[in-house]
């Protein structure tokens, strides 16, 4: 992607992408629901692709699957982030989420879910089921996005 010299002198590419991600987030909080994996993945590409460290996020959704808030919960290193189910449940209750989409990135660019990714998804799904909050998807973001729901991993 090339940026005009005048803009590049004032803002870094990361700043511009972060601003675009914020605009998209506002759009999705005020517009139709995340009704397809493609819409969700497009939104997440802007949010997480350029990060050099792993983060685990949650998309809090209302009963119509509109975005309440996109929240970064855990920050890790270049290849891991510790995720605590208790903290996930606390934030879901605090936001009064009707459903959630779990999200994390792989800074390596390879979005293939690891066994650890599958294990934590299973634990979180079980924990959130106790409070009647469905996990609609878990999306891993790299150069591409991998949807657990599309792969039948939920």
């Amino acid at each position: 992607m090339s940026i005009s010299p005048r803009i590049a002198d004032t803002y870094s590419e990361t700043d511009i992408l972060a601003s675009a991600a914020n605009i998209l987030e506002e759009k999705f909080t005020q517009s139709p629901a995340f009704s397809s994996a493609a819409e969700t993945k497009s939104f997440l590409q802007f949010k997480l692709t350029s990060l050099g460290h792993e983060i685990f996020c949650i998309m809090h959704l209302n009963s119509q699957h509109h975005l309440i808030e996109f929240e970064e919960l855990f920050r890790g290193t270049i290849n891991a982030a510790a995720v605590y189910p208790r903290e996930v449940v606390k934030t879901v209750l605090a936001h009064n989420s009707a459903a959630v989409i779990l999200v994390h990135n792989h800074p390596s660019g390879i979005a293939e879910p690891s066994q650890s990714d599958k294990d934590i998804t299973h634990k979180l799904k079980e924990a959130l089921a106790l409070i009647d909050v469905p996990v609609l998807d878990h999306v891993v973001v790299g150069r591409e996005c991998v949807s657990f729901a599309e792969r039948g991993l939920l």
Side-chain angles (χ1 to χ4, degrees):
M1 175 174 111
S2 74
I3 299 172
S4 75
R6 186 179 318 158
I7 293 173
D9 290 343
T10 309
Y11 302 101
S12 72
E13 185 172 320
T14 302
D15 292 335
I16 293 167
L17 290 173
S19 293
N22 289 335
I23 291 167
L24 281 173
E25 184 171 347
E26 284 182 32
K27 174 186 167 200
F28 281 113
T29 58
Q30 301 167 4
S31 68
F34 285 98
S35 58
S36 75
E39 288 173 339
T40 304
K41 291 190 296 189
S42 175
F43 169 74
L44 295 171
Q45 282 287 168
F46 279 102
K47 293 290 279 183
L48 304 178
T49 297
S50 63
L51 297 176
H53 57 279
E54 190 164 311
I55 62 171
F56 184 91
C57 305
I58 189 165
M59 294 174 66
H60 297 279
L61 305 174
N62 67 18
S63 58
Q64 288 79 40
H65 299 167
H66 289 95
L67 185 65
I68 297 169
E69 185 174 337
F70 180 88
E71 179 181 22
E72 179 183 323
L73 290 178
F74 307 105
R75 182 179 292 244
T77 61
I78 59 169
N79 63 353
V83 177
Y84 303 98
R86 182 180 194 280
E87 296 302 315
V88 172
V89 171
K90 280 174 44 178
T91 192
V92 166
L93 288 170
H95 285 86
N96 201 26
S97 304
V100 297
I101 297 174
L102 308 173
V103 181
H104 80 280
N105 68 318
H106 285 174
S108 68
I110 300 167
E112 193 59 37
S114 67
Q115 188 58 49
S116 295
D117 296 338
K118 294 172 187 174
D119 293 344
I120 194 63
T121 302
H122 180 71
K123 286 180 186 176
L124 292 173
K125 187 175 174 188
E126 285 183 340
L128 292 170
L130 294 172
I131 58 169
D132 296 322
V133 175
V135 175
L136 302 180
D137 204 348
H138 183 165
V139 179
V140 182
V141 179
R143 283 184 293 277
E144 300 175 349
C145 289
V146 172
S147 161
F148 277 49
E150 286 182 329
R151 288 205 177 170
L153 296 172
L154 281 180

